Amino acid sequence: MGRSHRQSYGGGEMSVAASLVFYFLVFLAEILMFGLLSLVLFWVVYYRGGFKWREDPAREFNFHPVLMVAGFIFFMGHAMLVYRLFRCCNKLTAKLLHTFLYLLAVPCIVVGVITVFDSHNLRVPPIPNLYSLHSWLGLVTVGLFALQVTHTLVVGFFSFWLLLCCEQGTASFRSGLVPVHATFGIITFMLAIATCVTGYTEKAFFVMSNGLYAQLPDEAWVVNAQAACLAGLAILMGFLLYSSRYARASHPVAIVDPPSNSHYVMTQKTYYYRDQM
């Protein structure tokens, strides 16, 4: 009889102390994401007059901060946390949930972009588009997000679904796409945070001009609190997503050594044969 043993590769196994720290940090991130979305809704409803469509361009703009925070921060942030939180679920389930959350962000971002252009173009006189630092950063962020969605829907569908009929031949190709997608996802999220902060600053100076912002009225506290939430999310999400100790567990590999000079490597679905050198 040959001998067999099981090995684990990569992260995924955490001590009790590490698990407590991990879930505490996730809890803080959830508070910040839900808190930020609640604050921006409160801000535009209580201080900015709520929502209107094209008949009132000033209040149509209020869709922009709410939808951008919902799409880029709330839905995209949760999409990136899926692979950290659902550690014991089937990886296909995690992929589907990750894709679903990304898709929820798409209409938020599309409508958010439309409303900001509408609110500028329909003003009398019109406000110029794409002139500020905030708008330039936003353009880059939306472009990177579009690439991420294209990768998820087109490349992801092709590589992770159609190519599964040839799993062995495409394994290296599919695994090579994962770090690229993950890295650009984190970059897009951090750029979104930077864009939001510049947007809050720009809006605060517009609506609280004539030195009022420097006096820190109640609205200024609400705006600053949203920026503080974004800064906290940048720190927490960066740590949670980059730390290898919180990575999803790799599937175990069983190695069976027959009484010969070769061995078989058995995964959950496929058997591979390797000659020993």
Side-chain angles (χ1 to χ4, degrees):
M1 296 292 294
R3 62 181 178 86
S4 65
H5 60 278
R6 299 181 71 82
Q7 298 174 342
S8 294
Y9 294 87
E13 298 298 329
M14 292 191 293
S15 64
V16 174
S19 296
L20 290 175
V21 171
F22 169 75
Y23 287 109
F24 176 71
L25 294 178
V26 169
F27 177 69
L28 289 180
E30 291 289 345
I31 289 177
L32 290 177
M33 283 190 282
F34 278 96
L36 176 61
L37 190 58
S38 301
L39 277 174
V40 70
L41 278 169
F42 171 74
W43 175 49
V44 300
V45 171
Y46 188 80
Y47 290 102
R48 298 288 100 217
F51 304 99
K52 286 283 187 179
W53 198 236
R54 293 184 172 181
E55 66 271 15
D56 189 342
R59 284 194 280 179
E60 183 185 6
F61 175 85
N62 291 339
F63 284 104
H64 177 70
V66 173
L67 292 175
M68 288 307 195
V69 166
F72 275 119
I73 306 302
F74 189 82
F75 288 126
M76 191 175 175
H78 280 95
M80 293 191 298
L81 281 178
V82 162
Y83 288 112
R84 292 293 192 258
L85 284 172
F86 296 90
R87 309 169 62 80
C88 300
C89 295
N90 183 279
K91 196 170 184 181
L92 176 59
T93 303
K95 288 178 185 177
L96 290 174
L97 183 56
H98 175 79
T99 303
F100 175 70
L101 288 168
Y102 253 101
L103 292 178
L104 287 179
V106 172
C108 295
I109 293 169
V110 171
V111 177
V113 171
I114 291 172
T115 55
V116 72
F117 278 98
D118 270 356
S119 66
H120 284 187
N121 296 332
L122 296 176
R123 292 287 186 97
V124 181
I127 298 175
N129 294 307
L130 302 176
Y131 69 92
S132 64
L133 173 63
H134 168 69
S135 61
W136 283 33
L137 285 176
L139 195 63
V140 175
T141 306
V142 171
L144 286 178
F145 178 80
L147 290 176
Q148 285 292 96
V149 172
T150 301
H151 174 275
T152 301
L153 295 181
V154 179
V155 179
F157 180 83
F158 181 70
S159 62
F160 289 104
W161 298 96
L162 297 182
L163 294 183
L164 284 179
C165 61
C166 184
E167 187 172 357
Q168 297 181 42
T170 62
S172 60
F173 169 72
R174 289 182 287 113
S175 63
L177 292 175
V178 173
V180 175
H181 179 70
T183 300
F184 273 91
I186 297 173
I187 291 172
T188 305
F189 185 78
M190 294 301 173
L191 268 175
I193 288 178
T195 305
C196 286
V197 171
T198 57
Y200 280 125
T201 303
E202 181 180 306
K203 187 64 175 177
F205 279 110
F206 276 149
V207 302
M208 291 177 279
S209 56
N210 300 323
L212 186 61
Y213 184 41
Q215 299 173 20
L216 284 180
D218 291 343
E219 185 176 0
W221 283 98
V222 174
V223 172
N224 290 355
Q226 294 174 68
C229 288
L230 288 165
L233 279 172
I235 297 169
L236 286 173
M237 294 292 286
F239 180 73
L240 288 170
L241 296 172
Y242 269 113
S243 179
S244 59
R245 74 172 63 183
Y246 302 137
R248 182 185 174 90
S250 302
H251 291 295
V253 175
I255 301 178
V256 181
D257 296 324
S260 65
N261 291 327
S262 63
H263 66 269
Y264 295 86
V265 178
M266 181 181 67
T267 65
Q268 290 182 338
K269 294 182 180 179
T270 312
Y271 293 86
Y272 302 91
Y273 176 79
R274 282 206 308 250
D275 287 328
Q276 289 183 340
M277 300 302 292

